Amino acid sequence: MSAYISEFNIFGGSTEFVEVAVPSGTNTANWSLVVYNGDGSIAATLSLGGVDASIAGRDLYVIRPTDGLPNLGYTHALALADGSGTAVQFISWHGTVVTPATGPAAGMTSTDIGSTDFGNSFETADGGASYFQQTSPNPGTIPCFGAGTLIETPDGPRPIESLSAGDRVLTATGATEPIRWACRREICFETTPHVPRPIRIAAHALGPGRPATDLIVSVQHRIALGVFGQLEALFPQPVLVPARALLPLRGVRAMNGRPRVTWHHLMLDRHELLIANGCVAESLFLGPLILRDLWQGSRRRLAERLDDPVPALPLMRVGAARDRIVADRARGSCGMARLPV
C-alpha cells in the first residue's frame, strides 16, 4: 500500500506513538488516524498533524499522547483513513479482531498483526503487509551522521557530504568497500519538535582518540563498544549500542538547543563498521528500518542483490547498555572513559 502505519508502540504510556508513512508531498490535511476499542466503538479520531521527517520518498507523521493519542494498551485497533474518509489500512493486535459499525472502518474486519513485548514496538518492513517487534522504538528517525563528519576512505578522511554512491570507504577492519546508496535530509526542530535531537559525542569520550574530534549522530546511530579502544574495560564483548545509551557518559549530551541539522546516510553492500571522526560506528543497516523507507524501485533492486541482513557486531539494547554505564559511574570504576583535563 502507498500509505501505511509504519511503526507504533502500545505499551509505552506517555512514550506511546503511532508513526504513519505516506509518499512525499501527499496532502494529508483531511487524513485521520482512528483508534478503535475492542467492541468496535471509536476511542479517538486524530489528524496526522505536521510532517516529522521526510526520508527517501516518504513523509513520516508521528502522533503522540500530547496530540490526543489515547492509551493504546487499553484499545485494540487502528485505522488509517485518507482524505476521502476511506480506510486504507485497518489493523489490530494480540489476537483481537475488530469489526466496527461506525467510522472509516465500518463493515471491515481488522487484520491481527500479532503480539509484542513490553518496551518494544510494532514495525513493518513491507509497507504494512506484516509487522515485527522492534526492540529499539525509533519514531521519525533512522540512524545517520551529522554534516561535516569525516569518514575514513582509502585516500584519507573525507567530509561525508562529499561522498556519493560508487565512492569507496575504509572500514574499521581495514577493508575497502563501495558506497551503494547515499542521501541527505534536513530537519528543522522548530517545525518538527517531536523528532529526537542530535547526540554529540565529545572528543576522547569513549577512549583516547575515540572520537578524535566531536562527533554528531542521531539517537539511534549505533556505536561500537568493547572493541577498537572504545570503552573496552566496561564492555568485555564487542557490541553495537545506540548513541542515546551513552548519555550518562561524561562528554556525551543531547544537543537540545540546536535549531536544525542536516543528516547524511551511507549504505554499503553489508552492515559495516565505519571510522567517523576517529570513532567506530555503523554504516546504515540493510534491514527493515531502511528498506521500509526506500522508494519501491530502490527496495526492489536491493532485494534482488541482498541476503538477509546480518549486523556487523551483536546489538545491545539501550537499557542494558545504559544500566552498565550508570552502574560503572556509581562505582567510580576506571572502566569509564575520561576526558582530558
Side-chain angles (χ1 to χ4, degrees), residues 39 94 107 161 184 285 313:
D39 62 2
H94 290 185
E161 53 266 39
R184 65 185 293 275
F285 187 36
L313 290 176

Side-chain angles (χ1 to χ4, degrees), residues 200-264:
R200 171 185 171 270
I201 304 175
H204 315 295
L206 306 181
R210 303 297 191 193
T213 57
D214 294 0
L215 176 66
I216 297 174
V217 294
S218 61
V219 295
Q220 292 292 1
H221 203 119
R222 297 182 182 96
I223 307 297
L225 300 181
V227 69
F228 303 112
Q230 298 185 177
L231 297 188
E232 289 185 348
L234 184 54
F235 291 83
Q237 300 296 325
V239 291
L240 280 167
V241 172
R244 63 190 174 114
L246 305 179
L247 286 171
L249 282 172
R250 181 185 175 193
V252 180
R253 66 176 178 86
M255 303 178 71
N256 293 322
R258 187 162 183 155
R260 62 180 64 245
V261 66
T262 300
W263 288 129
H264 292 265

Side-chain angles (χ1 to χ4, degrees), residues 42-331:
I42 294 176
T45 300
L46 307 166
S47 66
L48 301 191
V51 176
D52 282 76
S54 295
I55 305 173
R58 295 282 177 182
D59 289 339
L60 300 184
Y61 296 82
V62 182
I63 304 161
R64 303 175 186 270
T66 53
D67 302 313
L69 185 69
N71 191 320
L72 297 181
Y74 295 99
T75 59
H76 296 84
L78 295 171
L80 176 62
D82 63 17
S84 68
T86 301
V88 298
Q89 188 180 20
F90 186 33
I91 57 176
S92 54
W93 49 88
H94 290 185
T96 301
V97 175
V98 179
T99 304
T102 60
M108 299 175 63
T109 299
S110 64
T111 299
D112 176 27
I113 62 172
S115 300
T116 187
D117 298 326
F118 184 84
N120 297 343
S121 62
F122 288 103
E123 190 167 13
T124 179
D126 51 16
S130 63
Y131 288 80
F132 62 94
Q133 285 198 64
Q134 170 57 260
T135 58
S136 296
N138 43 73
T141 184
I142 60 177
C144 34
F145 291 105
T149 300
L150 295 177
I151 301 296
E152 200 66 39
T153 76
D155 300 318
R158 287 179 54 182
I160 193 168
E161 53 266 39
S162 72
L163 297 172
S164 59
D167 290 335
R168 290 186 171 271
V169 296
L170 188 66
T171 71
T173 59
T176 299
E177 300 290 342
I179 297 171
R180 294 305 184 190
W181 184 74
C183 80
R184 65 185 293 275
R185 64 178 176 131
E186 293 185 2
I187 295 293
C188 175
F189 297 110
E190 294 178 354
T191 57
T192 56
H194 297 310
V195 175
R197 296 304 198 267
I199 299 291
R200 171 185 171 270
I201 304 175
H204 315 295
L206 306 181
R210 303 297 191 193
T213 57
D214 294 0
L215 176 66
I216 297 174
V217 294
S218 61
V219 295
Q220 292 292 1
H221 203 119
R222 297 182 182 96
I223 307 297
L225 300 181
V227 69
F228 303 112
Q230 298 185 177
L231 297 188
E232 289 185 348
L234 184 54
F235 291 83
Q237 300 296 325
V239 291
L240 280 167
V241 172
R244 63 190 174 114
L246 305 179
L247 286 171
L249 282 172
R250 181 185 175 193
V252 180
R253 66 176 178 86
M255 303 178 71
N256 293 322
R258 187 162 183 155
R260 62 180 64 245
V261 66
T262 300
W263 288 129
H264 292 265
H265 319 288
L266 297 179
M267 188 169 64
L268 312 183
D269 281 331
R270 293 170 299 280
H271 195 219
E272 298 281 3
L273 300 177
L274 303 177
I275 304 173
N277 288 9
C279 181
V280 179
E282 66 174 348
S283 67
L284 201 56
F285 187 36
L286 297 175
L289 180 59
I290 183 59
L291 290 177
R292 178 199 69 193
D293 292 320
L294 288 176
W295 287 291
Q296 182 177 357
S298 299
R299 184 166 60 241
R300 184 172 56 252
R301 289 193 297 272
L302 284 170
E304 292 172 351
R305 188 170 72 231
L306 300 174
D307 297 324
D308 290 337
V310 176
L313 290 176
L315 309 180
M316 178 175 277
R317 294 184 62 177
V318 170
R322 183 187 293 128
D323 289 349
R324 184 175 297 187
I325 292 170
V326 170
D328 183 79
R329 184 177 64 182
R331 291 192 301 267

